Amino acid sequence: MNTLLSLIFTVCTIFGSLQSVVPYAKVDQAFDAQNAESIVAFSREKMVIKLSGKEGIYSKSQAVQIIKEFFVKHPKGAFDFTFKGAESDAGTFAIGNYVDGKSKYRVTIHFKNGADGYKIECLTIE
């Protein structure tokens, strides 16, 4: 009986930790592919976007349009995370660089941890 309880606890622990993994690799791939839909897929229902001195709270569909416009203006860029903050029950953040042929942009992403795992709460591109 103890073995069965131990096994159930282990499976629940592993499953729980898999759900709360920050999706760094997938966000990195989405930026490299310039895929706004994929980036926004890792966001909360509403997200803050700070871009070119403007800041707003946007729905997922609005966020996709804003990020697409950025990629149209800055095509063929490469993205790379340069710093990943410590994960906590509340959330974490990461900093990266998006470099197109002529410019380099600092990208800061704040993730909030919730019942459905880490989701993008705020995306800043400066």
Side-chain angles (χ1 to χ4, degrees), residues 1-61:
M1 183 66 168
N2 285 340
T3 305
L4 180 61
L5 290 175
S6 179
L7 179 63
I8 291 171
F9 177 76
T10 302
V11 169
C12 289
T13 303
I14 290 171
F15 182 71
S17 67
L18 289 176
Q19 286 184 326
S20 62
V21 173
V22 180
Y24 293 123
K26 292 180 180 181
V27 171
D28 189 330
Q29 292 168 353
F31 262 96
D32 282 336
Q34 297 182 353
N35 188 330
E37 290 91 353
S38 291
I39 293 168
V40 174
F42 299 106
S43 76
R44 300 171 54 95
E45 285 305 312
K46 300 258 184 189
M47 69 184 286
V48 176
I49 298 179
K50 300 175 187 176
L51 179 62
S52 302
K54 295 181 184 178
E55 178 179 343
I57 300 172
Y58 301 99
S59 68
K60 285 189 172 199
S61 61

Side-chain angles (χ1 to χ4, degrees), residues 18-113:
L18 289 176
Q19 286 184 326
S20 62
V21 173
V22 180
Y24 293 123
K26 292 180 180 181
V27 171
D28 189 330
Q29 292 168 353
F31 262 96
D32 282 336
Q34 297 182 353
N35 188 330
E37 290 91 353
S38 291
I39 293 168
V40 174
F42 299 106
S43 76
R44 300 171 54 95
E45 285 305 312
K46 300 258 184 189
M47 69 184 286
V48 176
I49 298 179
K50 300 175 187 176
L51 179 62
S52 302
K54 295 181 184 178
E55 178 179 343
I57 300 172
Y58 301 99
S59 68
K60 285 189 172 199
S61 61
Q62 292 170 318
V64 167
Q65 293 307 312
I66 291 167
I67 296 169
K68 274 185 179 179
E69 288 176 22
F70 173 78
F71 287 140
V72 166
K73 292 178 184 174
H74 308 284
K76 299 183 180 161
F79 180 79
D80 195 19
F81 280 112
T82 57
F83 177 81
K84 297 173 185 172
E87 297 173 22
S88 73
D89 289 340
T92 188
F93 73 100
I95 299 170
N97 291 314
Y98 178 83
V99 181
D100 66 9
K102 50 194 165 176
S103 303
K104 180 177 179 180
Y105 299 89
R106 177 184 164 126
V107 178
T108 306
I109 303 173
H110 292 265
F111 294 91
K112 184 164 181 144
N113 192 11

